[in-house]
Amino acid sequence: MNEHPRVSDILNQVRDGILDPQTAESRLTAMAVTRVGDVANLDMERCSRCGMPEVVLAEGKDTDSLVKIMHSYVLASGRCVASRITSDQVKAVCQKLPDGITAEIREPGGILILSDGTKPIPSGGTVGIMTAGTSDIRVAEEARSIAEEMGARVITSFDVGVAGIHRLIPALEKLREADVYVVCAGREGTLPSVVAGLVDKPVIGVPVSTGYGYMGQGAAALASMLQSCAVITVVNIDAGFTAGAFAARIAALIGGKK
């Protein structure tokens, strides 16, 4: 099969009975790409194909490329999200927004959202997000923004780590409606294991690069979560995006059946 088929090739195969319409639709969806000069190929059908939108990673991109990418994407899809964006990048992107486009900056999580008024479609699922400490909130807020972009309702409880374990029970009561939990913790990363031993829903542990000294910068937290005797899923250090997206998928599956 041609590695880069043309739309006409696929349509002709349907006409000739070689492809069924469902397979053709899948292949056409996979081809939907918006090109931005020589710097990017935007995946416009990721949401319909994978259940989650394409999110622009601002970190590491030069300013001109980021501006072109975000403006092109929001004009093509109605909504564009960038993660790990700096204040200087926000200023550049928002300096000359296309007509009809508004910007929302979610500073704690480093998220910028451009929109023409298009809103995420509610999934019916609920994600509960917790942090061990206040220093972990930046990662938790990234997870929150991504989960909300995927249609989840998000409820949070911050600074409830094991250094003051008595704070945990009221926090869990607040989050009892959650279909899945995202638990962010730095230092020794104990909180996700404790939470998993107290709830009957999936728990996603997010090691955070807080902490210093031996195995600092999230390494100790990652090792602790991977060695958990409670059943948890663990994402990479500071991977709020991954945790939020995975949690939203789980919540949609559970919440959609309620």
Side-chain angles (χ1 to χ4, degrees), residues 15-37:
R15 180 199 61 195
D16 297 338
I18 299 172
L19 281 182
D20 61 86
Q22 290 77 19
T23 301
E25 180 181 18
S26 177
R27 292 184 182 177
L28 288 169
T29 297
M31 293 170 60
V33 171
T34 294
R35 302 186 188 281
V36 182

Side-chain angles (χ1 to χ4, degrees), residues 21 42 56 70 93-94 129 134 158 165 194 207 212 236-237 255 257:
L42 304 180
V56 179
M70 292 198 69
V93 172
C94 297
I129 301 180
T134 304
F158 296 155
I165 195 80
V194 176
Y212 49 85
N236 209 342
I237 296 170
K257 294 179 180 179

Side-chain angles (χ1 to χ4, degrees), residues 83-101:
S83 66
R84 304 204 173 193
I85 194 164
T86 67
S87 57
D88 287 342
Q89 288 175 321
V90 169
K91 290 177 184 177
V93 172
C94 297
Q95 189 172 16
K96 292 183 180 180
L97 287 173
D99 291 341
I101 302 300

Side-chain angles (χ1 to χ4, degrees), residues 116-168:
D116 66 358
T118 300
K119 301 289 186 183
I121 300 173
S123 69
T126 300
V127 175
I129 301 180
M130 310 173 72
T131 72
T134 304
S135 297
D136 307 321
I137 291 176
R138 60 184 178 84
V139 176
E141 287 291 348
E142 182 180 77
R144 182 216 288 260
S145 293
I146 299 305
E148 288 177 344
E149 281 301 305
M150 293 176 61
R153 170 181 172 241
V154 177
I155 47 181
T156 63
S157 190
F158 296 155
D159 195 28
V160 295
V162 297
I165 195 80
H166 58 289
R167 301 172 294 180
L168 182 56

